[in-house]
Amino acid sequence: MRKTDLLPGWIHQAYRFEVDRPERVASIFSHIGARRFAWNYMLGVFEEQCRAKEVFCLLGLRQGARTKEAEEWATKVCKLPYLVKMNEKRRKDHEIKVVAGKHRPSEYRPVSECCPWTPEAMRYLWNRVKDKVAPWWAENSKECYSSAFETLAQAFTNHFASQDGTRRGPYVGWPNYKHRSGCHSVAFTTGSIWVLDRHHVQLPVIGILRIKESTDKLRLKIDGGFARILRVTLITEDAKTYVSFGVVLRWGEPRSLGMGVAGYDVGMRTLITSSDGHRVENPRAGEQVKKKISRYQRRMDRQHRVGTPRCFHPDGTHIAGTCYWRKRSKRARENQTKLQKAHVRTAHIRRDAIHKASYRAATTYAVDIVEDLRVEQMGRRGHGKRGFNRAIKDAVLAEFRRELSYKSTWYGSFLWLTAWWYPSSKTCSVCRKKKVKLSRGAQLFHCEHCGEEIDRDLNAAKNLAALAELSLVCLLAQISTGTPVDWSKLPIRPHGWEEDQSTRSSRGCARAEGRKANGGGRKIARASTGGDYPFDREAAEPPAEVA
């Protein structure tokens, strides 16, 4: 059994704790810097090999070779000798293991000898050049370099899969070089990893760290044999440092749930509205610290202009390229810390409100129904776009569904998703008649057929809850007939079901040729040619089979 395999009744879970006064432990920032150096070095090696291969391929074409011959010759010339030896050694070891009956012949996979973008190849190359390029490598744990290679390899995989059109979601660009500023992390999978007591943990090489809050919720489960640590990640986010433990946890029987169904409508005016009348007001975290952030940013701009005048043009605009503001004054560093803490507070306010709402939803009812929103298409263009788009991003509408997806598994409830074109707000929850038009500013829903007058969000939540009857009928039909239900033609589907995306149109996938080639960029549908109104998902037409 592999280390990550789960036994029945076990789940993956993470525990996160804040480190107390991390500035006193210099090895934290040493490990973060070493990981950043390893990432940047391997990214540079990969780009160097790609440029060299392109140059040799072009040279072969100019000498009269065909495209395939030029590519083969460029690949042969650009082979790294370290990786050639690695493949030979792996092949010999594999042949010995096959003879011994430990591995199958098909399990041998050689790494690329030209572009080392696999974790094994990066690690093999790093072990042979680290004494020259990083003579200080022994001061840090080997895990910080391995974690850099794993994440860089995953970044390359996501980029190439996005280019080929095999990866769903937004386009993933080329990996960037990491800088000192921003969020950084270091992962540990081996070594002395312990939760010592209520306020102390131990990490490899770094040593003992003091934790602000109590670790009993994890320590007692580990001591009792109900949890096992798989991975520890040291994260620096702005002015704070956290330790995150990824564990496998033995989950007990889910608590007894109510025999009910609830629908949840998310929005900007009221963050979450339940069909039972419960409301979660939007904390508007961005508005709470907006003035502080603006003040700190203006102060930082003035300090930047005074500290490094050569970063700016005579007209006052910043010069594109490298910034020379390295030696900041004490007040500039204090102001930067205040700005970082303001952003952290904003994120924590949002996270707290949505976590409480998702916990209540997962533990109160047996079936939860939420909308499958495409928030990126709800943006506004034209006059007044900044306030509307800022409000959408501040509400974080998609986070409620994401948290409910895994909490419903923990607590034994079921999650269903409605189609993005389903008119939950325009349909009357009493007579089921659909309105032709409903303005976004309307807070009350008034039905012309039955005269019902109800809050707009509550009406939408009740319509979502009513779809549970349709899902039950479809499941009974599938059980009785044995024919699987095609949920793509229905306004509701179970969470985890995805439509088959393997087929493509005769015109092909535009993103397969690049992000911007032949219209390969991701376009956003709009309601009008003027672009002054946001895209109305409820005005879209459902599939032809449903209509």
Side-chain angles (χ1 to χ4, degrees), residues 10-21:
W10 290 71
I11 63 171
H12 287 286
Q13 196 168 354
Y15 292 86
R16 191 179 189 184
F17 308 100
E18 184 180 353
V19 179
D20 186 16
R21 291 173 290 185

Side-chain angles (χ1 to χ4, degrees), residues 76-335:
K76 182 178 180 181
V77 173
C78 295
K79 283 183 179 179
L80 294 176
Y82 295 127
L83 301 183
V84 174
K85 294 180 180 179
M86 175 184 176
N87 281 333
E88 293 178 356
K89 181 177 181 300
R90 290 181 63 183
R91 180 177 53 80
K92 293 180 180 178
D93 295 342
H94 180 74
E95 291 176 354
I96 296 174
K97 291 180 180 179
V98 169
V99 173
K102 296 182 179 180
H103 289 274
R104 292 176 298 177
S106 60
E107 290 185 359
Y108 171 67
R109 290 177 298 176
V111 299
S112 174
E113 298 173 352
C114 177
C115 298
W117 64 282
T118 60
E120 296 82 6
M122 294 181 188
R123 195 177 297 111
Y124 191 90
L125 178 60
W126 171 259
N127 290 334
R128 277 142 188 82
V129 300
K130 60 185 178 182
D131 292 327
K132 296 181 180 179
V133 301
W136 39 261
W137 66 268
E139 299 177 2
N140 307 295
S141 174
K142 63 180 180 61
E143 293 292 319
C144 66
Y145 311 111
S146 298
S147 63
F149 303 148
E150 290 177 4
T151 53
L152 182 58
Q154 187 62 42
F156 281 127
T157 302
N158 295 339
H159 170 68
F160 294 135
S162 183
Q163 268 195 334
D164 297 339
T166 57
R167 187 181 189 275
R168 301 183 62 185
Y171 178 82
V172 179
W174 186 263
N176 297 323
Y177 288 92
K178 291 189 177 295
H179 304 277
R180 292 186 177 182
S181 60
C183 176
H184 299 283
S185 62
V186 178
F188 302 90
T189 56
T190 59
S192 56
I193 301 173
W194 302 98
V195 181
L196 301 178
D197 52 34
R198 295 189 64 185
H199 293 282
H200 293 88
V201 299
Q202 184 175 356
L203 298 181
V205 180
I206 295 178
I208 299 176
L209 299 177
R210 177 174 173 80
I211 305 301
K212 287 187 176 181
E213 60 265 45
S214 175
T215 61
D216 285 347
K217 55 185 178 180
L218 174 61
R219 180 177 61 88
L220 297 178
K221 293 178 181 178
I222 294 176
D223 295 342
F226 298 100
R228 182 164 58 93
I229 299 176
L230 296 180
R231 189 183 187 92
V232 179
T233 307
L234 191 64
I235 308 169
T236 59
E237 290 185 358
D238 297 327
K240 295 188 178 183
T241 303
Y242 302 92
V243 176
S244 177
F245 290 87
V247 302
V248 287
L249 180 67
R250 182 185 297 174
W251 195 256
E253 293 295 331
R255 63 183 65 187
S256 57
L257 302 176
M259 302 300 293
V261 179
Y264 301 93
D265 179 77
V266 295
M268 293 177 290
R269 182 171 57 91
T270 302
L271 186 61
I272 300 169
T273 304
S274 177
S275 58
D276 60 357
H278 181 267
R279 298 176 182 273
V280 178
E281 297 298 329
N282 188 358
R284 302 187 184 276
E287 295 294 333
Q288 294 188 26
V289 294
K290 180 180 177 181
K291 292 184 178 180
K292 286 186 178 181
I293 291 177
S294 299
R295 182 168 66 250
Y296 296 149
Q297 287 177 339
R298 289 195 301 269
R299 189 181 300 171
M300 182 175 292
D301 181 69
R302 293 194 297 267
Q303 292 168 344
H304 188 183
R305 293 176 183 274
V306 173
T308 313
R310 60 174 178 165
C311 290
F312 298 88
H313 290 291
D315 58 353
T317 58
H318 195 283
I319 299 176
T322 305
C323 182
Y324 302 97
W325 196 26
R326 295 288 184 267
K327 298 181 179 179
R328 303 190 180 189
S329 62
K330 181 179 178 181
R331 288 188 177 182
R333 293 194 299 269
E334 292 177 353
N335 181 70

Side-chain angles (χ1 to χ4, degrees), residues 365-427:
Y365 292 95
V367 178
D368 300 313
I369 303 176
V370 297
E371 294 176 304
D372 183 16
L373 296 177
R374 300 182 183 179
V375 183
E376 63 178 4
Q377 296 184 358
M378 298 172 63
R380 181 194 291 263
R381 293 191 301 178
H383 179 69
K385 65 176 182 179
R386 292 185 178 180
F388 185 82
N389 294 341
R390 188 187 302 117
I392 288 181
K393 294 179 180 180
D394 191 19
V396 197
L397 301 180
E399 181 66 16
F400 179 71
R401 171 202 163 179
R402 189 193 70 83
E403 294 183 4
L404 200 58
S405 63
Y406 66 85
K407 290 185 180 181
S408 60
T409 305
W410 290 357
Y411 300 106
S413 58
F414 298 93
L415 178 62
W416 291 77
L417 304 177
T418 59
W420 72 281
W421 46 263
Y422 178 69
S424 58
S425 298
K426 296 183 178 181
T427 305

